[in-house]
Amino acid sequence: GNNLTWSHTVPDSANRLLVVTIATHRTGANLANVNSITYAGSPLTAIIATQGNAQDLSKRTEIWVLVAPPIGTANIVVSMSAVSNVVGASYSFASVDQAAPVFNSGNTAATNTASASAATLAICPPSFTRSAIVDVIAVSFRVRAIRG
């Protein structure tokens, strides 16, 4: 089918944010995109999506969020536009500004800019003293990550 489903646990904490990242690679002539994502039946909001670059449009990445997700274990269900090679991941954050959970490099509540086949999201706490970065990439060959 066109769905990807996995279990995720949101811990009991204040000011929660659920982040789901999706990376797809073309299957034949089709490059699928995400139609919708739910957690425990609650819809997530699409924050950013990017598709390849001028030389290679075979990959797509997306980041979706849910502010104040329900506490506990439930399924994340990703509905894709077509059958695709797809990988998904999910992350729970606590102490996130519930009114403006993501911000850009100018420290204003907004989404980040996509680049090539990677999407990046900055998580915004109530003050900017502590923040987190979530990144997703899509590749079609072996990649060696080097800590720097």
Side-chain angles (χ1 to χ4, degrees):
N2 297 352
N3 286 348
L4 175 65
T5 303
W6 70 91
S7 179
H8 179 85
T9 301
V10 173
D12 186 357
S13 58
N15 300 318
R16 298 174 307 282
L17 180 71
L18 173 63
V19 176
V20 174
T21 61
I22 302 294
T24 61
H25 188 271
R26 181 186 341 254
T27 301
N30 297 323
L31 177 59
N33 61 291
V34 176
N35 287 332
S36 65
I37 300 178
T38 59
Y39 171 74
S42 298
L44 278 71
T45 300
I47 296 297
I48 192 167
T50 185
Q51 181 175 320
N53 56 34
Q55 291 78 35
D56 181 9
L57 296 175
S58 67
K59 294 169 280 303
R60 180 176 176 88
T61 57
E62 301 189 31
I63 299 177
W64 293 59
V65 300
L66 177 60
V67 175
I71 296 167
T73 301
N75 281 341
I76 292 175
V77 179
V78 180
S79 172
M80 301 297 295
S81 63
V83 174
S84 181
N85 297 310
V86 61
V87 175
S90 52
Y91 311 90
S92 293
F93 293 90
S95 300
V96 175
D97 186 329
Q98 301 291 280
V102 297
F103 65 95
N104 63 19
S105 59
N107 286 348
T108 57
T111 59
N112 284 36
T113 303
S115 171
S117 59
T120 305
L121 174 74
I123 306 299
C124 183
S127 71
F128 289 108
T129 56
R130 294 186 188 144
S131 60
I133 301 293
V134 176
D135 194 12
V136 57
I137 62 170
V139 296
S140 57
F141 53 88
R142 291 183 188 189
V143 173
R144 183 174 172 217
I146 300 174
R147 203 175 347 170

